[in-house]
């Protein structure tokens, strides 16, 4: 049986898929925005997730340097592919999707 967090996450991705399919014709440019603690290899792990995809990646550190924001412009081929990337990077501790 799913716990509430897993259920909420599944519902979130289902809603996102509908929104993505209603507002895009695939393939489409998609802008990912994340913020995460500037520790360990967090930023490198996000960048690696988009390797060899022709992505334009911009990173900006916060004034204190404790956090890094990452914007990724990339052509995606389906809503499932977009959601797959969100799931892939969701394992990075402290990452927040904006």
């Amino acid at each position: 049986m799913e716990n509430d967090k897993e259920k909420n996450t599944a519902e979130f991705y289902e809603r996102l898929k509908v929104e993505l399919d209603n507002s895009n014709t695939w393939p489409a440019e998609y802008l990912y925005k994340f913020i995460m603690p500037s520790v360990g290899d967090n930023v490198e792990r996000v960048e690696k997730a988009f390797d060899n995809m022709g992505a334009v990646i911009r990173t900006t550190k916060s004034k204190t340097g404790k956090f890094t924001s990452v914007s990724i412009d990339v052509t995606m081929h389906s809503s499932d592919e977009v959601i797959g990337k969100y799931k892939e990077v969701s394992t990075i501790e402290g990452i927040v999707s904006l």
Side-chain angles (χ1 to χ4, degrees):
M1 190 157 150
E2 286 185 316
N3 67 33
D4 284 345
K5 186 175 188 222
E6 288 171 347
K7 185 172 182 271
N8 289 343
T9 300
E11 288 173 358
F12 168 79
Y13 285 127
E14 286 170 24
R15 284 193 310 271
L16 178 59
K17 178 176 175 48
V18 170
E19 286 178 33
L20 288 168
D21 285 336
N22 286 340
S23 60
N24 293 284
T25 304
W26 304 106
E29 280 291 312
Y30 190 76
L31 176 63
Y32 289 90
K33 288 185 172 188
F34 304 106
I35 190 162
M36 68 208 75
S38 304
V39 294
D41 62 349
N42 280 358
V43 175
E44 290 84 4
R45 285 176 63 193
V46 172
E47 291 174 342
K48 191 173 183 184
F50 292 90
D51 262 1
N52 302 313
M53 294 181 66
V56 177
I57 302 173
R58 291 176 299 284
T59 60
T60 308
K61 278 199 175 183
S62 64
K63 286 182 183 174
T64 62
K66 289 183 182 176
F67 294 93
T68 301
S69 66
V70 182
S71 297
I72 302 156
D73 256 317
V74 63
T75 299
M76 301 302 279
H77 296 93
S78 69
S79 55
D80 290 328
E81 188 180 28
V82 170
I83 290 168
K85 286 297 176 190
Y86 277 122
K87 289 180 178 178
E88 184 179 342
V89 300
S90 70
T91 60
I92 297 169
E93 193 172 334
I95 192 166
V96 176
S97 301
L98 304 176

